[in-house]
Amino acid sequence: MVRTPCCDKTGLRKGTWTPEEDRKLMAYVTRYGCWNWRQLPKFAGLARCGKSCRLRWMNYLRPNIKRGSYSKEEEETIIRLHDSLGNRWSAIAAQLPGRTDNEVKNHWHTTLKKRFKHKPSAAAKDGKDNSSQDPKLRRGTSREKEETKLNDVDHLLISSPNPPLILESSLSSQQPASSDQNSSITTDNTVVTSKLDSGSDDNSTTTNTNTDIHTDTLLEAYEAESSNFWTEPFLSDINYMWSDVSSVVPYEADQFPLLDGEILYPFDFYDQLQGLDL
DNA sequence: AAGCTTCTCAACCGCCAGGAG
DNA sequence: GCTCCTGGCGGTTGAGAAGCT
């Protein structure tokens, strides 16, 4: 499923992330934010390129990542948005709280796409899905990007002017996060929450705006072709709790001997937990 | 049980946009 | 206006899991 680890010419690691690397990245970003992805691995004590760190954080370690099966509503949203937007996975993912563009893209290619092999999307028919042909048309407008930015949790992480250096050997000497750092994290959580809320609103809005007759036809076909689809329980609703320990901290707590609870559960974790009837 | 094929998805790659100097 | 740097995006890859023969 994952690539075997290897080293490139510059000595930077590639391939599968180890639990140790995840721990370092998570500890650093949680505590200090992603002030500069390029420089971050150096300060975090990681032999990875910045891009790799960013990708790992965005697609796997972020606290609000939703994992598990897609619900009927989520797949419906993907289908509708793909029909209207084409392969703009980040825009589609923005309407699916907790889902990453990579995940949405994978799910489309592995599952949803096959169900509509013979039914080209409206976007494709209208020429909207020409993104892969003309790279200049692949990107969203600056306004769309701005809106996406507002939803992007990471933009609210702190930007430390003097980033703390965390060397492998110095992790244990880290002091607890300052109140300022905590506030940024709390802000992060607030945004996550509002994003989740607004996400559903956006969903309905987008659905109303973008749904056309063709999409309905597409969805009907989709329903007809996926026999067990509508009858499946909302697995993701069961599996996903964005404040769940498993999503916030993918490893056992005792694997974080250097981290205190403040970092393990940096947000108003327990408050969220109580509200979920777990 | 073994070998083969198909599927899944984490991760890489290259390109582009936008900001800073 | 130009160059450089960085973040972000979408396409693609390929190892491992799952299914099939």
Side-chain angles (χ1 to χ4, degrees), chain A residues 1-3 37-38 51 54 87-90 105 155:
Chain A
M1 190 186 294
V2 289
R3 296 166 190 240
W37 284 115
R38 191 90 157 191
K51 267 191 167 184
R54 177 189 164 274
N87 294 349
R88 292 180 53 198
W89 305 116
S90 60
K105 182 172 56 182
H155 284 274

mmCIF file of all heavy atoms in Angstrom, chain A residues 1-3 37-38 51 54 87-90 105 155, chain C residues 5-17:
data_model
loop_
_atom_site.group_PDB
_atom_site.id
_atom_site.type_symbol
_atom_site.label_atom_id
_atom_site.label_comp_id
_atom_site.label_asym_id
_atom_site.label_seq_id
_atom_site.Cartn_x
_atom_site.Cartn_y
_atom_site.Cartn_z
ATOM 1 N N MET A 1 0.829 -1.197 0.000
ATOM 2 C CA MET A 1 0.000 0.000 0.000
ATOM 3 C C MET A 1 0.872 1.259 0.000
ATOM 4 O O MET A 1 0.523 2.293 -0.509
ATOM 5 C CB MET A 1 -0.910 0.020 1.219
ATOM 6 C CG MET A 1 -1.969 1.096 1.164
ATOM 7 S SD MET A 1 -2.855 1.174 2.671
ATOM 8 C CE MET A 1 -3.673 -0.403 2.657
ATOM 9 N N VAL A 2 1.989 1.118 0.650
ATOM 10 C CA VAL A 2 2.853 2.280 0.740
ATOM 11 C C VAL A 2 4.219 1.930 0.201
ATOM 12 O O VAL A 2 4.583 0.760 0.094
ATOM 13 C CB VAL A 2 3.004 2.766 2.192
ATOM 14 C CG1 VAL A 2 1.722 3.378 2.670
ATOM 15 C CG2 VAL A 2 3.400 1.615 3.093
ATOM 16 N N ARG A 3 4.922 2.957 -0.139
ATOM 17 C CA ARG A 3 6.226 2.736 -0.719
ATOM 18 C C ARG A 3 7.239 2.360 0.351
ATOM 19 O O ARG A 3 7.139 2.791 1.484
ATOM 20 C CB ARG A 3 6.685 3.995 -1.452
ATOM 21 C CG ARG A 3 5.811 4.346 -2.611
ATOM 22 C CD ARG A 3 6.106 5.743 -3.060
ATOM 23 N NE ARG A 3 5.091 6.146 -4.022
ATOM 24 C CZ ARG A 3 5.349 6.490 -5.269
ATOM 25 N NH1 ARG A 3 6.567 6.491 -5.726
ATOM 26 N NH2 ARG A 3 4.381 6.825 -6.087
ATOM 27 N N TRP A 37 6.780 25.451 5.803
ATOM 28 C CA TRP A 37 6.919 24.023 5.552
ATOM 29 C C TRP A 37 8.314 23.664 5.082
ATOM 30 O O TRP A 37 8.812 22.578 5.353
ATOM 31 C CB TRP A 37 5.894 23.568 4.522
ATOM 32 C CG TRP A 37 4.515 23.457 5.081
ATOM 33 C CD1 TRP A 37 3.433 24.200 4.739
ATOM 34 C CD2 TRP A 37 4.060 22.534 6.088
ATOM 35 N NE1 TRP A 37 2.332 23.811 5.464
ATOM 36 C CE2 TRP A 37 2.689 22.794 6.301
ATOM 37 C CE3 TRP A 37 4.677 21.537 6.835
ATOM 38 C CZ2 TRP A 37 1.925 22.078 7.215
ATOM 39 C CZ3 TRP A 37 3.923 20.820 7.751
ATOM 40 C CH2 TRP A 37 2.567 21.098 7.930
ATOM 41 N N ARG A 38 8.919 24.557 4.369
ATOM 42 C CA ARG A 38 10.258 24.288 3.838
ATOM 43 C C ARG A 38 11.276 24.125 4.971
ATOM 44 O O ARG A 38 12.146 23.270 4.941
ATOM 45 C CB ARG A 38 10.660 25.451 2.920
ATOM 46 C CG ARG A 38 11.894 25.178 2.103
ATOM 47 C CD ARG A 38 11.521 24.549 0.780
ATOM 48 N NE ARG A 38 12.565 24.761 -0.213
ATOM 49 C CZ ARG A 38 12.408 24.509 -1.491
ATOM 50 N NH1 ARG A 38 11.278 24.053 -1.943
ATOM 51 N NH2 ARG A 38 13.388 24.687 -2.331
ATOM 52 N N LYS A 51 7.674 19.575 1.519
ATOM 53 C CA LYS A 51 6.468 19.146 0.830
ATOM 54 C C LYS A 51 5.915 17.858 1.418
ATOM 55 O O LYS A 51 4.713 17.684 1.571
ATOM 56 C CB LYS A 51 6.778 18.917 -0.656
ATOM 57 C CG LYS A 51 6.535 20.109 -1.524
ATOM 58 C CD LYS A 51 6.615 19.690 -2.975
ATOM 59 C CE LYS A 51 6.059 20.769 -3.877
ATOM 60 N NZ LYS A 51 6.029 20.366 -5.279
ATOM 61 N N ARG A 54 4.293 18.605 4.708
ATOM 62 C CA ARG A 54 3.005 19.256 4.525
ATOM 63 C C ARG A 54 1.948 18.247 4.109
ATOM 64 O O ARG A 54 0.838 18.217 4.631
ATOM 65 C CB ARG A 54 3.115 20.348 3.468
ATOM 66 C CG ARG A 54 1.821 21.015 3.171
ATOM 67 C CD ARG A 54 1.895 21.935 1.975
ATOM 68 N NE ARG A 54 0.547 22.253 1.518
ATOM 69 C CZ ARG A 54 -0.141 21.498 0.670
ATOM 70 N NH1 ARG A 54 0.390 20.392 0.174
ATOM 71 N NH2 ARG A 54 -1.359 21.825 0.333
ATOM 72 N N ASN A 87 -12.376 17.936 -12.238
ATOM 73 C CA ASN A 87 -11.374 17.335 -11.349
ATOM 74 C C ASN A 87 -10.762 18.335 -10.364
ATOM 75 O O ASN A 87 -9.573 18.271 -10.084
ATOM 76 C CB ASN A 87 -10.256 16.716 -12.179
ATOM 77 C CG ASN A 87 -10.742 15.546 -12.989
ATOM 78 O OD1 ASN A 87 -11.848 15.057 -12.803
ATOM 79 N ND2 ASN A 87 -9.932 15.103 -13.914
ATOM 80 N N ARG A 88 -11.554 19.216 -9.872
ATOM 81 C CA ARG A 88 -11.019 20.173 -8.891
ATOM 82 C C ARG A 88 -11.219 19.601 -7.497
ATOM 83 O O ARG A 88 -12.120 19.979 -6.747
ATOM 84 C CB ARG A 88 -11.683 21.527 -9.070
ATOM 85 C CG ARG A 88 -11.277 22.181 -10.385
ATOM 86 C CD ARG A 88 -11.916 23.495 -10.560
ATOM 87 N NE ARG A 88 -11.689 24.370 -9.417
ATOM 88 C CZ ARG A 88 -12.399 25.444 -9.153
ATOM 89 N NH1 ARG A 88 -13.372 25.778 -9.952
ATOM 90 N NH2 ARG A 88 -12.124 26.170 -8.109
ATOM 91 N N TRP A 89 -10.333 18.692 -7.178
ATOM 92 C CA TRP A 89 -10.494 17.881 -5.969
ATOM 93 C C TRP A 89 -10.431 18.707 -4.699
ATOM 94 O O TRP A 89 -11.126 18.407 -3.724
ATOM 95 C CB TRP A 89 -9.440 16.780 -5.951
ATOM 96 C CG TRP A 89 -9.474 15.952 -7.182
ATOM 97 C CD1 TRP A 89 -8.496 15.826 -8.127
ATOM 98 C CD2 TRP A 89 -10.565 15.137 -7.657
ATOM 99 N NE1 TRP A 89 -8.900 14.994 -9.143
ATOM 100 C CE2 TRP A 89 -10.157 14.564 -8.874
ATOM 101 C CE3 TRP A 89 -11.834 14.856 -7.170
ATOM 102 C CZ2 TRP A 89 -10.983 13.710 -9.614
ATOM 103 C CZ3 TRP A 89 -12.663 14.017 -7.896
ATOM 104 C CH2 TRP A 89 -12.228 13.449 -9.099
ATOM 105 N N SER A 90 -9.607 19.708 -4.694
ATOM 106 C CA SER A 90 -9.515 20.521 -3.473
ATOM 107 C C SER A 90 -10.825 21.274 -3.235
ATOM 108 O O SER A 90 -11.269 21.419 -2.097
ATOM 109 C CB SER A 90 -8.359 21.507 -3.576
ATOM 110 O OG SER A 90 -8.543 22.366 -4.674
ATOM 111 N N LYS A 105 -10.052 12.301 -4.268
ATOM 112 C CA LYS A 105 -9.536 11.907 -5.576
ATOM 113 C C LYS A 105 -9.396 10.388 -5.668
ATOM 114 O O LYS A 105 -9.820 9.777 -6.653
ATOM 115 C CB LYS A 105 -8.176 12.579 -5.784
ATOM 116 C CG LYS A 105 -7.521 12.328 -7.108
ATOM 117 C CD LYS A 105 -6.284 13.215 -7.265
ATOM 118 C CE LYS A 105 -5.294 13.015 -6.130
ATOM 119 N NZ LYS A 105 -4.113 13.895 -6.257
ATOM 120 N N HIS A 155 -4.233 27.864 7.944
ATOM 121 C CA HIS A 155 -3.896 29.276 7.819
ATOM 122 C C HIS A 155 -4.019 29.984 9.147
ATOM 123 O O HIS A 155 -3.545 31.110 9.297
ATOM 124 C CB HIS A 155 -4.799 29.950 6.793
ATOM 125 C CG HIS A 155 -4.418 29.613 5.406
ATOM 126 N ND1 HIS A 155 -3.464 30.309 4.706
ATOM 127 C CD2 HIS A 155 -4.817 28.612 4.589
ATOM 128 C CE1 HIS A 155 -3.318 29.795 3.504
ATOM 129 N NE2 HIS A 155 -4.129 28.753 3.407
ATOM 130 P P DC C 5 15.712 30.999 -4.508
ATOM 131 O OP1 DC C 5 16.872 30.944 -3.595
ATOM 132 O OP2 DC C 5 15.592 30.013 -5.603
ATOM 133 O "O5'" DC C 5 14.384 30.931 -3.634
ATOM 134 C "C5'" DC C 5 14.073 32.024 -2.778
ATOM 135 C "C4'" DC C 5 12.704 31.806 -2.149
ATOM 136 O "O4'" DC C 5 11.676 32.119 -3.109
ATOM 137 C "C3'" DC C 5 12.455 30.371 -1.690
ATOM 138 O "O3'" DC C 5 12.022 30.402 -0.341
ATOM 139 C "C2'" DC C 5 11.373 29.847 -2.630
ATOM 140 C "C1'" DC C 5 10.681 31.120 -3.087
ATOM 141 N N1 DC C 5 10.073 31.086 -4.456
ATOM 142 C C2 DC C 5 8.750 31.478 -4.622
ATOM 143 O O2 DC C 5 8.098 31.838 -3.647
ATOM 144 N N3 DC C 5 8.222 31.443 -5.879
ATOM 145 C C4 DC C 5 8.963 31.044 -6.902
ATOM 146 N N4 DC C 5 8.410 31.035 -8.117
ATOM 147 C C5 DC C 5 10.324 30.636 -6.748
ATOM 148 C C6 DC C 5 10.830 30.674 -5.515
ATOM 149 P P DT C 6 11.923 29.054 0.490
ATOM 150 O OP1 DT C 6 12.386 29.332 1.864
ATOM 151 O OP2 DT C 6 12.528 27.963 -0.306
ATOM 152 O "O5'" DT C 6 10.355 28.824 0.532
ATOM 153 C "C5'" DT C 6 9.508 29.897 0.974
ATOM 154 C "C4'" DT C 6 8.066 29.577 0.653
ATOM 155 O "O4'" DT C 6 7.846 29.703 -0.763
ATOM 156 C "C3'" DT C 6 7.638 28.149 1.031
ATOM 157 O "O3'" DT C 6 6.670 28.252 2.063
ATOM 158 C "C2'" DT C 6 7.079 27.552 -0.255
ATOM 159 C "C1'" DT C 6 6.870 28.770 -1.151
ATOM 160 N N1 DT C 6 7.055 28.527 -2.606
ATOM 161 C C2 DT C 6 6.037 28.877 -3.467
ATOM 162 O O2 DT C 6 4.981 29.351 -3.097
ATOM 163 N N3 DT C 6 6.285 28.621 -4.790
ATOM 164 C C4 DT C 6 7.439 28.082 -5.320
ATOM 165 O O4 DT C 6 7.554 27.910 -6.529
ATOM 166 C C5 DT C 6 8.472 27.747 -4.368
ATOM 167 C C7 DT C 6 9.753 27.149 -4.839
ATOM 168 C C6 DT C 6 8.232 27.987 -3.073
ATOM 169 P P DG C 7 6.002 26.964 2.665
ATOM 170 O OP1 DG C 7 5.790 27.207 4.106
ATOM 171 O OP2 DG C 7 6.744 25.762 2.213
ATOM 172 O "O5'" DG C 7 4.575 26.966 1.946
ATOM 173 C "C5'" DG C 7 3.828 28.183 1.918
ATOM 174 C "C4'" DG C 7 2.573 28.002 1.102
ATOM 175 O "O4'" DG C 7 2.920 27.890 -0.299
ATOM 176 C "C3'" DG C 7 1.762 26.755 1.445
ATOM 177 O "O3'" DG C 7 0.387 27.116 1.425
ATOM 178 C "C2'" DG C 7 2.120 25.768 0.333
ATOM 179 C "C1'" DG C 7 2.398 26.697 -0.843
ATOM 180 N N9 DG C 7 3.379 26.212 -1.819
ATOM 181 C C8 DG C 7 4.607 25.667 -1.550
ATOM 182 N N7 DG C 7 5.278 25.346 -2.621
ATOM 183 C C5 DG C 7 4.441 25.714 -3.655
ATOM 184 C C6 DG C 7 4.623 25.603 -5.068
ATOM 185 O O6 DG C 7 5.605 25.159 -5.687
ATOM 186 N N1 DG C 7 3.520 26.090 -5.775
ATOM 187 C C2 DG C 7 2.389 26.605 -5.192
ATOM 188 N N2 DG C 7 1.426 27.011 -6.022
ATOM 189 N N3 DG C 7 2.201 26.704 -3.886
ATOM 190 C C4 DG C 7 3.262 26.246 -3.186
ATOM 191 P P DG C 8 -0.724 26.080 1.835
ATOM 192 O OP1 DG C 8 -1.810 26.842 2.469
ATOM 193 O OP2 DG C 8 -0.101 24.944 2.528
ATOM 194 O "O5'" DG C 8 -1.231 25.564 0.420
ATOM 195 C "C5'" DG C 8 -1.693 26.533 -0.525
ATOM 196 C "C4'" DG C 8 -2.001 25.842 -1.832
ATOM 197 O "O4'" DG C 8 -0.771 25.513 -2.500
ATOM 198 C "C3'" DG C 8 -2.784 24.530 -1.711
ATOM 199 O "O3'" DG C 8 -3.992 24.666 -2.434
ATOM 200 C "C2'" DG C 8 -1.865 23.466 -2.295
ATOM 201 C "C1'" DG C 8 -0.935 24.292 -3.179
ATOM 202 N N9 DG C 8 0.395 23.735 -3.387
ATOM 203 C C8 DG C 8 1.302 23.361 -2.426
ATOM 204 N N7 DG C 8 2.416 22.894 -2.911
ATOM 205 C C5 DG C 8 2.228 22.962 -4.289
ATOM 206 C C6 DG C 8 3.101 22.597 -5.352
ATOM 207 O O6 DG C 8 4.241 22.119 -5.271
ATOM 208 N N1 DG C 8 2.517 22.837 -6.594
ATOM 209 C C2 DG C 8 1.263 23.367 -6.793
ATOM 210 N N2 DG C 8 0.877 23.523 -8.049
ATOM 211 N N3 DG C 8 0.446 23.711 -5.809
ATOM 212 C C4 DG C 8 0.994 23.487 -4.593
ATOM 213 P P DC C 9 -5.081 23.539 -2.357
ATOM 214 O OP1 DC C 9 -6.387 24.225 -2.263
ATOM 215 O OP2 DC C 9 -4.704 22.515 -1.367
ATOM 216 O "O5'" DC C 9 -4.952 22.885 -3.803
ATOM 217 C "C5'" DC C 9 -4.969 23.736 -4.947
ATOM 218 C "C4'" DC C 9 -4.594 22.926 -6.162
ATOM 219 O "O4'" DC C 9 -3.185 22.649 -6.119
ATOM 220 C "C3'" DC C 9 -5.303 21.575 -6.242
ATOM 221 O "O3'" DC C 9 -6.192 21.572 -7.338
ATOM 222 C "C2'" DC C 9 -4.189 20.543 -6.410
ATOM 223 C "C1'" DC C 9 -2.943 21.375 -6.672
ATOM 224 N N1 DC C 9 -1.718 20.855 -6.017
ATOM 225 C C2 DC C 9 -0.656 20.400 -6.807
ATOM 226 O O2 DC C 9 -0.770 20.425 -8.029
ATOM 227 N N3 DC C 9 0.461 19.932 -6.195
ATOM 228 C C4 DC C 9 0.529 19.920 -4.872
ATOM 229 N N4 DC C 9 1.649 19.461 -4.313
ATOM 230 C C5 DC C 9 -0.543 20.387 -4.049
ATOM 231 C C6 DC C 9 -1.641 20.841 -4.657
ATOM 232 P P DG C 10 -7.245 20.457 -7.475
ATOM 233 O OP1 DG C 10 -8.434 21.065 -8.074
ATOM 234 O OP2 DG C 10 -7.339 19.704 -6.198
ATOM 235 O "O5'" DG C 10 -6.565 19.483 -8.534
ATOM 236 C "C5'" DG C 10 -6.177 20.018 -9.793
ATOM 237 C "C4'" DG C 10 -5.380 18.978 -10.552
ATOM 238 O "O4'" DG C 10 -4.109 18.770 -9.886
ATOM 239 C "C3'" DG C 10 -6.039 17.599 -10.659
ATOM 240 O "O3'" DG C 10 -5.913 17.142 -11.993
ATOM 241 C "C2'" DG C 10 -5.256 16.735 -9.664
ATOM 242 C "C1'" DG C 10 -3.883 17.390 -9.687
ATOM 243 N N9 DG C 10 -3.114 17.246 -8.462
ATOM 244 C C8 DG C 10 -3.562 17.396 -7.176
ATOM 245 N N7 DG C 10 -2.644 17.205 -6.273
ATOM 246 C C5 DG C 10 -1.513 16.912 -7.007
ATOM 247 C C6 DG C 10 -0.205 16.608 -6.578
ATOM 248 O O6 DG C 10 0.253 16.531 -5.422
ATOM 249 N N1 DG C 10 0.658 16.368 -7.648
ATOM 250 C C2 DG C 10 0.286 16.425 -8.975
ATOM 251 N N2 DG C 10 1.242 16.162 -9.867
ATOM 252 N N3 DG C 10 -0.934 16.703 -9.394
ATOM 253 C C4 DG C 10 -1.783 16.937 -8.359
ATOM 254 P P DG C 11 -6.391 15.713 -12.427
ATOM 255 O OP1 DG C 11 -7.089 15.891 -13.703
ATOM 256 O OP2 DG C 11 -7.061 15.023 -11.307
ATOM 257 O "O5'" DG C 11 -5.012 14.949 -12.715
ATOM 258 C "C5'" DG C 11 -4.054 15.570 -13.568
ATOM 259 C "C4'" DG C 11 -2.838 14.673 -13.741
ATOM 260 O "O4'" DG C 11 -2.076 14.681 -12.513
ATOM 261 C "C3'" DG C 11 -3.168 13.212 -14.039
ATOM 262 O "O3'" DG C 11 -2.247 12.726 -15.006
ATOM 263 C "C2'" DG C 11 -3.006 12.515 -12.681
ATOM 264 C "C1'" DG C 11 -1.923 13.360 -12.015
ATOM 265 N N9 DG C 11 -2.015 13.422 -10.562
ATOM 266 C C8 DG C 11 -3.134 13.736 -9.818
ATOM 267 N N7 DG C 11 -2.914 13.730 -8.528
ATOM 268 C C5 DG C 11 -1.582 13.386 -8.421
ATOM 269 C C6 DG C 11 -0.786 13.223 -7.250
ATOM 270 O O6 DG C 11 -1.103 13.338 -6.062
ATOM 271 N N1 DG C 11 0.526 12.871 -7.570
ATOM 272 C C2 DG C 11 1.007 12.712 -8.855
ATOM 273 N N2 DG C 11 2.289 12.374 -8.976
ATOM 274 N N3 DG C 11 0.263 12.866 -9.948
ATOM 275 C C4 DG C 11 -1.011 13.201 -9.653
ATOM 276 P P DT C 12 -2.342 11.248 -15.554
ATOM 277 O OP1 DT C 12 -1.798 11.254 -16.937
ATOM 278 O OP2 DT C 12 -3.701 10.726 -15.265
ATOM 279 O "O5'" DT C 12 -1.321 10.447 -14.610
ATOM 280 C "C5'" DT C 12 0.016 10.928 -14.505
ATOM 281 C "C4'" DT C 12 0.766 10.122 -13.468
ATOM 282 O "O4'" DT C 12 0.289 10.464 -12.152
ATOM 283 C "C3'" DT C 12 0.618 8.598 -13.597
ATOM 284 O "O3'" DT C 12 1.888 8.074 -13.959
ATOM 285 C "C2'" DT C 12 0.152 8.133 -12.218
ATOM 286 C "C1'" DT C 12 0.426 9.338 -11.321
ATOM 287 N N1 DT C 12 -0.509 9.518 -10.171
ATOM 288 C C2 DT C 12 0.000 9.470 -8.886
ATOM 289 O O2 DT C 12 1.172 9.266 -8.654
ATOM 290 N N3 DT C 12 -0.926 9.670 -7.897
ATOM 291 C C4 DT C 12 -2.276 9.905 -8.048
ATOM 292 O O4 DT C 12 -3.013 10.068 -7.079
ATOM 293 C C5 DT C 12 -2.747 9.941 -9.414
ATOM 294 C C7 DT C 12 -4.195 10.187 -9.692
ATOM 295 C C6 DT C 12 -1.847 9.758 -10.398
ATOM 296 P P DT C 13 2.089 6.510 -14.184
ATOM 297 O OP1 DT C 13 3.103 6.342 -15.249
ATOM 298 O OP2 DT C 13 0.765 5.864 -14.279
ATOM 299 O "O5'" DT C 13 2.753 6.060 -12.798
ATOM 300 C "C5'" DT C 13 3.792 6.857 -12.259
ATOM 301 C "C4'" DT C 13 4.180 6.349 -10.885
ATOM 302 O "O4'" DT C 13 3.166 6.675 -9.918
ATOM 303 C "C3'" DT C 13 4.382 4.828 -10.800
ATOM 304 O "O3'" DT C 13 5.603 4.594 -10.150
ATOM 305 C "C2'" DT C 13 3.183 4.349 -9.981
ATOM 306 C "C1'" DT C 13 2.879 5.556 -9.113
ATOM 307 N N1 DT C 13 1.468 5.725 -8.641
ATOM 308 C C2 DT C 13 1.232 5.948 -7.302
ATOM 309 O O2 DT C 13 2.124 5.979 -6.467
ATOM 310 N N3 DT C 13 -0.087 6.128 -6.972
ATOM 311 C C4 DT C 13 -1.168 6.116 -7.822
ATOM 312 O O4 DT C 13 -2.297 6.294 -7.408
ATOM 313 C C5 DT C 13 -0.856 5.875 -9.212
ATOM 314 C C7 DT C 13 -1.955 5.832 -10.215
ATOM 315 C C6 DT C 13 0.433 5.695 -9.553
ATOM 316 P P DG C 14 6.409 3.261 -10.459
ATOM 317 O OP1 DG C 14 7.834 3.609 -10.443
ATOM 318 O OP2 DG C 14 5.816 2.582 -11.622
ATOM 319 O "O5'" DG C 14 6.087 2.399 -9.163
ATOM 320 C "C5'" DG C 14 6.383 2.951 -7.888
ATOM 321 C "C4'" DG C 14 5.705 2.129 -6.806
ATOM 322 O "O4'" DG C 14 4.308 2.485 -6.732
ATOM 323 C "C3'" DG C 14 5.735 0.613 -7.052
ATOM 324 O "O3'" DG C 14 5.883 -0.029 -5.803
ATOM 325 C "C2'" DG C 14 4.346 0.326 -7.617
ATOM 326 C "C1'" DG C 14 3.538 1.310 -6.770
ATOM 327 N N9 DG C 14 2.228 1.648 -7.292
ATOM 328 C C8 DG C 14 1.794 1.589 -8.590
ATOM 329 N N7 DG C 14 0.537 1.965 -8.733
ATOM 330 C C5 DG C 14 0.139 2.303 -7.452
ATOM 331 C C6 DG C 14 -1.101 2.771 -6.978
ATOM 332 O O6 DG C 14 -2.135 3.006 -7.634
ATOM 333 N N1 DG C 14 -1.084 2.979 -5.609
ATOM 334 C C2 DG C 14 0.000 2.764 -4.788
ATOM 335 N N2 DG C 14 -0.166 3.021 -3.510
ATOM 336 N N3 DG C 14 1.167 2.314 -5.220
ATOM 337 C C4 DG C 14 1.168 2.111 -6.553
ATOM 338 P P DA C 15 6.946 -1.170 -5.611
ATOM 339 O OP1 DA C 15 8.291 -0.576 -5.751
ATOM 340 O OP2 DA C 15 6.553 -2.329 -6.441
ATOM 341 O "O5'" DA C 15 6.702 -1.530 -4.076
ATOM 342 C "C5'" DA C 15 6.727 -0.476 -3.123
ATOM 343 C "C4'" DA C 15 5.734 -0.775 -1.997
ATOM 344 O "O4'" DA C 15 4.400 -0.445 -2.430
ATOM 345 C "C3'" DA C 15 5.703 -2.239 -1.563
ATOM 346 O "O3'" DA C 15 5.578 -2.291 -0.143
ATOM 347 C "C2'" DA C 15 4.467 -2.798 -2.268
ATOM 348 C "C1'" DA C 15 3.559 -1.579 -2.361
ATOM 349 N N9 DA C 15 2.701 -1.529 -3.543
ATOM 350 C C8 DA C 15 3.034 -1.865 -4.826
ATOM 351 N N7 DA C 15 2.048 -1.689 -5.683
ATOM 352 C C5 DA C 15 1.004 -1.204 -4.914
ATOM 353 C C6 DA C 15 -0.306 -0.820 -5.234
ATOM 354 N N6 DA C 15 -0.828 -0.875 -6.462
ATOM 355 N N1 DA C 15 -1.097 -0.382 -4.231
ATOM 356 C C2 DA C 15 -0.578 -0.322 -2.991
ATOM 357 N N3 DA C 15 0.638 -0.661 -2.568
ATOM 358 C C4 DA C 15 1.396 -1.100 -3.588
ATOM 359 P P DG C 16 5.672 -3.679 0.589
ATOM 360 O OP1 DG C 16 6.463 -3.422 1.811
ATOM 361 O OP2 DG C 16 6.061 -4.748 -0.359
ATOM 362 O "O5'" DG C 16 4.163 -3.938 1.019
ATOM 363 C "C5'" DG C 16 3.495 -2.944 1.782
ATOM 364 C "C4'" DG C 16 2.016 -3.238 1.807
ATOM 365 O "O4'" DG C 16 1.463 -3.077 0.489
ATOM 366 C "C3'" DG C 16 1.642 -4.667 2.258
ATOM 367 O "O3'" DG C 16 0.638 -4.560 3.264
ATOM 368 C "C2'" DG C 16 1.126 -5.331 0.998
ATOM 369 C "C1'" DG C 16 0.574 -4.138 0.212
ATOM 370 N N9 DG C 16 0.536 -4.299 -1.230
ATOM 371 C C8 DG C 16 1.528 -4.760 -2.051
ATOM 372 N N7 DG C 16 1.177 -4.782 -3.323
ATOM 373 C C5 DG C 16 -0.112 -4.307 -3.325
ATOM 374 C C6 DG C 16 -1.015 -4.103 -4.402
ATOM 375 O O6 DG C 16 -0.830 -4.304 -5.601
ATOM 376 N N1 DG C 16 -2.236 -3.601 -3.961
ATOM 377 C C2 DG C 16 -2.544 -3.330 -2.650
ATOM 378 N N2 DG C 16 -3.771 -2.850 -2.415
ATOM 379 N N3 DG C 16 -1.726 -3.515 -1.637
ATOM 380 C C4 DG C 16 -0.532 -4.005 -2.044
ATOM 381 P P DA C 17 -0.012 -5.868 3.893
ATOM 382 O OP1 DA C 17 -0.062 -5.629 5.355
ATOM 383 O OP2 DA C 17 0.630 -7.095 3.357
ATOM 384 O "O5'" DA C 17 -1.502 -5.802 3.329
ATOM 385 C "C5'" DA C 17 -2.201 -4.552 3.409
ATOM 386 C "C4'" DA C 17 -3.597 -4.708 2.856
ATOM 387 O "O4'" DA C 17 -3.540 -4.770 1.412
ATOM 388 C "C3'" DA C 17 -4.332 -5.949 3.316
ATOM 389 O "O3'" DA C 17 -5.696 -5.610 3.579
ATOM 390 C "C2'" DA C 17 -4.179 -6.911 2.146
ATOM 391 C "C1'" DA C 17 -4.113 -5.971 0.949
ATOM 392 N N9 DA C 17 -3.273 -6.432 -0.160
ATOM 393 C C8 DA C 17 -2.000 -6.905 -0.102
ATOM 394 N N7 DA C 17 -1.495 -7.231 -1.271
ATOM 395 C C5 DA C 17 -2.504 -6.924 -2.166
ATOM 396 C C6 DA C 17 -2.604 -7.025 -3.561
ATOM 397 N N6 DA C 17 -1.619 -7.486 -4.349
ATOM 398 N N1 DA C 17 -3.753 -6.636 -4.145
ATOM 399 C C2 DA C 17 -4.735 -6.180 -3.373
ATOM 400 N N3 DA C 17 -4.776 -6.036 -2.043
ATOM 401 C C4 DA C 17 -3.609 -6.426 -1.493
#
